[in-house]
Structures are given as C-alpha cells and as structure tokens.
Amino acid sequence: MFSTQSGSNLTYAFVVEPLFTTLDSGERVPNLASEIPTKDNGLISDDGLTVTYTLHEGITWSDGEPFTADDLAFTIDVTKEPDTVAIPDAEYAAIASYTVNDPQTISVQFTTTQPNYLNLFKQVLPKHRFEGTSISSDDPELREPTGTGPFAISEWSSGNEIKFTRNENYWRKDSQPKLDGVTVKINPDLTTAVNGFTRGEFDLVFGLTAGDLDEVAAAVDSGAPIELHEKPENTGFVEWLWINNSDKGQLGTPHPVLGDPAMREAIDYAIDREGVLADVLGGFGTLSNSLVYAGFGGELTKTVPFDTAKANGILDKAGWALGSDGIRAKDGIRASVKFQTISGDEVRALYQQVIQQNLKEIGVETVIENVPSNLMFGDAKDGGLLATGNFDIMMSRAGKLPDPTEWMMEFVSSQIPDGPEDSGYSYAWWSSPEYDALFATVASEMDPALREDAVHQANALFASERPAIPIYAAPTAWAWSTELTGVTDDSWNGPWDTTSSVNWAFTGASE
C-alpha cells in the first residue's frame, strides 16, 4: 500500500494476507474474509452502494494481537488522510463512509458502484502498531509490515537480503508453516540470479521472465533438479515501450519527436516482434496489441505486421526527412531519443538492441541509457523518471491484473502527477477525454456485459493512438527446486503467495 516497487510484492508471499485471494483464473476466493459478498447472500445492498465484509473468527496479527474490523476501518482512515503517504487502490477513493458492525463485520458505503469491490483490503494495516492515521514516510511499518501470514519479517538488510521467520502466532491452526524461515537474497542482476538458480544455489527466483525460460528449460533438459511448470492457458506480463507523449513532464506540450502520431505509428510497424520471440526468447511468448490482455475483459488482439517499408513511408509522408547521417529530422527536430529500461537484465538488453536496430532502419536514433528500477519508478521528489516525465522511451513489463480497473487507471488524465510533491507516475504522459470516459464506465458499471464492452473500446482506442506500444506477452511459467515440496502455483501470484509458502518444506525434512 506504500510502495510501487516490485520488491514490495514479496510481503504478499510470506507476510501479508488479503481478504480475498485471486486464483490464476482471475476468480477471487475468501482468505481472511469468511465469504464473498453478493446480493444473493445479502452482503451487497440492492442499489450496489453498500458492501458488507465479514471476517473469519480468531485471526491474529503476527505479534499475537487480534485482527478485527477496526483494523479494516483504520486502513480506510489512513487512505483518507490529506497528503497520505499511502498509495491506495482506486476503490478507496469511492468510499463515502463505513460502519463497524461488530469485531468481524464492517459495512462500507460507496459514493458510486464499485464492480471491483473485492479489490479492497489486499493489505490491512494493524491499528495498534500506529499512533494515528497520519503516518510518516519513515514509519518502520511501511518497510517491514506486520501481517497475519505464515511468516514475519525478522531482518531486512538493504541491497542484501530479507529474512522471514515462522509466525508462531499463525492463526490457521490446521495449516501451520512447515519451514522455520525463508531468506530472500536480493540481486538486482536477474541474469546472475537465474544463473545461480540453474546451478542449484537458490530454490526459487522471484521475477522469472520469458527471457529466462530458455535457460531454465535447458537446465531441466540437462538434468538439473528443477520443476518448470508452464501454464499456456494464462497470459503472462506484456513488455511495453512507454512512449512519452509530452515534453519533459509538460502535459499539453507534445514531445518534440514522439508527440507526432505518425512517429508512434512508424515505430509500431518497425519492430520485429516475431524476431524477438524467435531469436532472443527461445520461442517463449506470444503477441498482443491490447491494453487489457488478462483477467476480466482481457483479449489478445493482433499487432501490426513488421513492415520497415511501410514505416519509412509513414515518416516520409509526415515530413520526417532522412538526413545525410541516416537520421530523420522535421522542422529542425532530429529524430533522436533516449531508450531506457531496467539495468541488470541481459536478455532484455538483447532485444532492446534488436529494437534499437529496427528503429535505426527507419531513421530513428535511440540512445540506450539503462537505469535501476527505483530511478525508473521512484516518486518525483526522488527524481523518478516516469514520475517527472524526464524520459523519451522506457521499457518494462506491466498490466497483468485480474480486474482492469487498477491497470486502466494508470492512463487516466487525473493520475498524471501535478508536481514534484505528488506521488505516483505516468507511463505515457497522455491525456484523452475519450479514454477517461471509458475508464469511468469500467470503474463503476455493475453490468458485466456493458463493462466488458467499455474495456474492448479502450483497447481499440489505445491501439489506434499508441500512447504505449506492446512488444510481446510472456507466458506464465514458474520454476522451483525439486527439493522444495508443497509448492503450488494456482494463485495469481503463482508460488509467491502465502497460500503456497505456508506449505513449503524440504524433501526428507521432518515437519
């Protein structure tokens, strides 16, 4: 709730339990909640504006204190604080009021209907661990949260490792954690981490990507003790080119090169996606041209074909003239841009170079300057590039969510930071009233058919205007050491979920 860094998701693997767990199909099932609120069971009012959430009896925090509806109410209050450091999901903004009915029940009244109401309370804050709802950014609970999961954080050494120890107060008496603890080694170089995994130095790797599967599959073929489980029925994350549509964070002032729709269209046609899949990713992955490609309303629409000649024709017609140095220019503006992604991923760097060469062939120069993830996704006050708009083209994976609301919200005009003190960032610095209206429907429409139609219209608009350009969709696949037992991958987070880690054990070890 307080960080957009991917590393913060580790807490969901061991410490933080949500009210509702999301299965890999996108279906949500009760976790800390005792049942799914519906109109049929009376937990959703007839007008859809009031939802009652019910909790299991006997839940405790890892410090032994009881977990109650007061903690849910406190969590809401934190999100309502002016200038809160929390980064709440969109549904919190629509909460008008709430009523704590008893220690196990809270009724939440919304200002508008919220079809994604099960998205609330992915993380609940322990009221007793805070002095009040105004939380400072250096509060230790932000970095090392107290949870209800099978493990608790015992030590976090920045840039080195995070140690999780068994939660001796775990509330599920019939499902106690089998390991005494888990140590997560932090390695910003994914290539090195995957190399170590295939050599048996680690039991799992967090953040395994399509670019790593070729190496993992080769290790399995050579007899390495690794379980590689591919799930072809589920689309993995899409790799995107984030195109800065505005000039250095000045919304309304088009980017001198990328603000031209013809330039974005030409870039789209110039990329050899099939070549990336075949030559760099070992054939792992598929193509998608949809903003929403997984979960509710997700669809895998066709990308434009790889066509260098067409791309050059688009730029010729738009007035981008080829210079003697092979780089185009228009009105004195040279078609030269920075092309950045997260450093430390050698496979990603390989297809970044393929794309660089593809764009060179249409007279667009890209200068590669890769950066750490915290500089890419950091807040504006910390110089975050996406937050300040200080980028041209960036590349990263995003968008795989069970419900489209949170993902589509990333591109709504109101989410673009107003200044250096605003939290959050913008992938594209793009504003479209038409898109904003479609998002409003997706965020409030309770009729599934009408809601899904709005998702499809947004997909078509996004593909037409190209505020961002998809490269490929990764497959969903997980891998772990065969010496580690009890691993399951039927949740949205695969093995990296408390529903899995609670059962982890080693072959031959006593429980």
PDB file of all heavy atoms in Angstrom, residues 74-86:
ATOM      1  N   PHE A  74      -9.489   1.334  10.214  1.00  0.00           N
ATOM      2  CA  PHE A  74      -8.261   2.142  10.308  1.00  0.00           C
ATOM      3  C   PHE A  74      -7.591   2.264   8.941  1.00  0.00           C
ATOM      4  O   PHE A  74      -7.114   3.336   8.558  1.00  0.00           O
ATOM      5  CB  PHE A  74      -7.307   1.497  11.324  1.00  0.00           C
ATOM      6  CG  PHE A  74      -5.983   2.202  11.436  1.00  0.00           C
ATOM      7  CD1 PHE A  74      -5.872   3.406  12.129  1.00  0.00           C
ATOM      8  CD2 PHE A  74      -4.849   1.658  10.841  1.00  0.00           C
ATOM      9  CE1 PHE A  74      -4.641   4.049  12.218  1.00  0.00           C
ATOM     10  CE2 PHE A  74      -3.629   2.299  10.940  1.00  0.00           C
ATOM     11  CZ  PHE A  74      -3.518   3.500  11.622  1.00  0.00           C
ATOM     12  N   THR A  75      -7.566   1.161   8.206  1.00  0.00           N
ATOM     13  CA  THR A  75      -6.959   1.179   6.867  1.00  0.00           C
ATOM     14  C   THR A  75      -7.653   2.186   5.962  1.00  0.00           C
ATOM     15  O   THR A  75      -7.007   2.956   5.237  1.00  0.00           O
ATOM     16  CB  THR A  75      -7.026  -0.232   6.252  1.00  0.00           C
ATOM     17  OG1 THR A  75      -6.353  -1.149   7.109  1.00  0.00           O
ATOM     18  CG2 THR A  75      -6.380  -0.252   4.872  1.00  0.00           C
ATOM     19  N   ILE A  76      -8.976   2.194   6.025  1.00  0.00           N
ATOM     20  CA  ILE A  76      -9.724   3.179   5.227  1.00  0.00           C
ATOM     21  C   ILE A  76      -9.355   4.597   5.670  1.00  0.00           C
ATOM     22  O   ILE A  76      -9.115   5.488   4.845  1.00  0.00           O
ATOM     23  CB  ILE A  76     -11.246   2.946   5.379  1.00  0.00           C
ATOM     24  CG1 ILE A  76     -11.641   1.602   4.773  1.00  0.00           C
ATOM     25  CG2 ILE A  76     -12.028   4.086   4.725  1.00  0.00           C
ATOM     26  CD1 ILE A  76     -13.082   1.209   5.044  1.00  0.00           C
ATOM     27  N   ASP A  77      -9.299   4.804   6.992  1.00  0.00           N
ATOM     28  CA  ASP A  77      -8.992   6.145   7.505  1.00  0.00           C
ATOM     29  C   ASP A  77      -7.617   6.630   7.040  1.00  0.00           C
ATOM     30  O   ASP A  77      -7.435   7.806   6.743  1.00  0.00           O
ATOM     31  CB  ASP A  77      -9.038   6.135   9.035  1.00  0.00           C
ATOM     32  CG  ASP A  77     -10.460   5.987   9.576  1.00  0.00           C
ATOM     33  OD1 ASP A  77     -11.408   6.225   8.795  1.00  0.00           O
ATOM     34  OD2 ASP A  77     -10.605   5.613  10.750  1.00  0.00           O
ATOM     35  N   VAL A  78      -6.661   5.724   6.986  1.00  0.00           N
ATOM     36  CA  VAL A  78      -5.320   6.111   6.518  1.00  0.00           C
ATOM     37  C   VAL A  78      -5.368   6.609   5.078  1.00  0.00           C
ATOM     38  O   VAL A  78      -4.729   7.603   4.720  1.00  0.00           O
ATOM     39  CB  VAL A  78      -4.345   4.927   6.650  1.00  0.00           C
ATOM     40  CG1 VAL A  78      -3.024   5.214   5.915  1.00  0.00           C
ATOM     41  CG2 VAL A  78      -4.061   4.627   8.117  1.00  0.00           C
ATOM     42  N   THR A  79      -6.153   5.922   4.247  1.00  0.00           N
ATOM     43  CA  THR A  79      -6.235   6.339   2.838  1.00  0.00           C
ATOM     44  C   THR A  79      -6.934   7.682   2.680  1.00  0.00           C
ATOM     45  O   THR A  79      -6.780   8.328   1.649  1.00  0.00           O
ATOM     46  CB  THR A  79      -6.965   5.292   1.985  1.00  0.00           C
ATOM     47  OG1 THR A  79      -8.362   5.276   2.322  1.00  0.00           O
ATOM     48  CG2 THR A  79      -6.363   3.911   2.184  1.00  0.00           C
ATOM     49  N   LYS A  80      -7.712   8.074   3.694  1.00  0.00           N
ATOM     50  CA  LYS A  80      -8.467   9.336   3.605  1.00  0.00           C
ATOM     51  C   LYS A  80      -7.690  10.528   4.163  1.00  0.00           C
ATOM     52  O   LYS A  80      -8.159  11.668   4.073  1.00  0.00           O
ATOM     53  CB  LYS A  80      -9.797   9.194   4.366  1.00  0.00           C
ATOM     54  CG  LYS A  80     -10.743   8.133   3.812  1.00  0.00           C
ATOM     55  CD  LYS A  80     -11.199   8.480   2.401  1.00  0.00           C
ATOM     56  CE  LYS A  80     -12.236   7.480   1.889  1.00  0.00           C
ATOM     57  NZ  LYS A  80     -12.619   7.783   0.479  1.00  0.00           N
ATOM     58  N   GLU A  81      -6.541  10.276   4.779  1.00  0.00           N
ATOM     59  CA  GLU A  81      -5.750  11.369   5.338  1.00  0.00           C
ATOM     60  C   GLU A  81      -5.245  12.298   4.225  1.00  0.00           C
ATOM     61  O   GLU A  81      -4.743  11.815   3.207  1.00  0.00           O
ATOM     62  CB  GLU A  81      -4.546  10.815   6.097  1.00  0.00           C
ATOM     63  CG  GLU A  81      -4.815  10.411   7.519  1.00  0.00           C
ATOM     64  CD  GLU A  81      -5.003  11.607   8.439  1.00  0.00           C
ATOM     65  OE1 GLU A  81      -4.344  12.636   8.229  1.00  0.00           O
ATOM     66  OE2 GLU A  81      -5.844  11.499   9.359  1.00  0.00           O
ATOM     67  N   PRO A  82      -5.353  13.617   4.433  1.00  0.00           N
ATOM     68  CA  PRO A  82      -4.740  14.535   3.454  1.00  0.00           C
ATOM     69  C   PRO A  82      -3.235  14.266   3.354  1.00  0.00           C
ATOM     70  O   PRO A  82      -2.577  14.041   4.374  1.00  0.00           O
ATOM     71  CB  PRO A  82      -5.022  15.917   4.058  1.00  0.00           C
ATOM     72  CG  PRO A  82      -6.152  15.699   5.007  1.00  0.00           C
ATOM     73  CD  PRO A  82      -6.014  14.315   5.544  1.00  0.00           C
ATOM     74  N   ASP A  83      -2.734  14.283   2.156  1.00  0.00           N
ATOM     75  CA  ASP A  83      -1.296  14.073   1.925  1.00  0.00           C
ATOM     76  C   ASP A  83      -0.794  12.749   2.484  1.00  0.00           C
ATOM     77  O   ASP A  83       0.357  12.632   2.931  1.00  0.00           O
ATOM     78  CB  ASP A  83      -0.473  15.223   2.536  1.00  0.00           C
ATOM     79  CG  ASP A  83      -0.881  16.575   1.990  1.00  0.00           C
ATOM     80  OD1 ASP A  83      -1.160  16.643   0.781  1.00  0.00           O
ATOM     81  OD2 ASP A  83      -0.932  17.540   2.765  1.00  0.00           O
ATOM     82  N   THR A  84      -1.664  11.746   2.478  1.00  0.00           N
ATOM     83  CA  THR A  84      -1.241  10.435   2.973  1.00  0.00           C
ATOM     84  C   THR A  84      -0.083   9.885   2.152  1.00  0.00           C
ATOM     85  O   THR A  84       0.018  10.142   0.940  1.00  0.00           O
ATOM     86  CB  THR A  84      -2.420   9.448   2.940  1.00  0.00           C
ATOM     87  OG1 THR A  84      -1.974   8.174   3.441  1.00  0.00           O
ATOM     88  CG2 THR A  84      -2.939   9.252   1.519  1.00  0.00           C
ATOM     89  N   VAL A  85       0.777   9.142   2.814  1.00  0.00           N
ATOM     90  CA  VAL A  85       1.880   8.506   2.084  1.00  0.00           C
ATOM     91  C   VAL A  85       1.435   7.190   1.458  1.00  0.00           C
ATOM     92  O   VAL A  85       2.199   6.559   0.728  1.00  0.00           O
ATOM     93  CB  VAL A  85       3.085   8.253   3.009  1.00  0.00           C
ATOM     94  CG1 VAL A  85       3.686   9.561   3.470  1.00  0.00           C
ATOM     95  CG2 VAL A  85       2.703   7.368   4.191  1.00  0.00           C
ATOM     96  N   ALA A  86       0.200   6.782   1.750  1.00  0.00           N
ATOM     97  CA  ALA A  86      -0.322   5.541   1.169  1.00  0.00           C
ATOM     98  C   ALA A  86      -0.597   5.738  -0.317  1.00  0.00           C
ATOM     99  O   ALA A  86      -0.854   6.848  -0.788  1.00  0.00           O
ATOM    100  CB  ALA A  86      -1.593   5.110   1.881  1.00  0.00           C
TER     101      ALA A  86
END
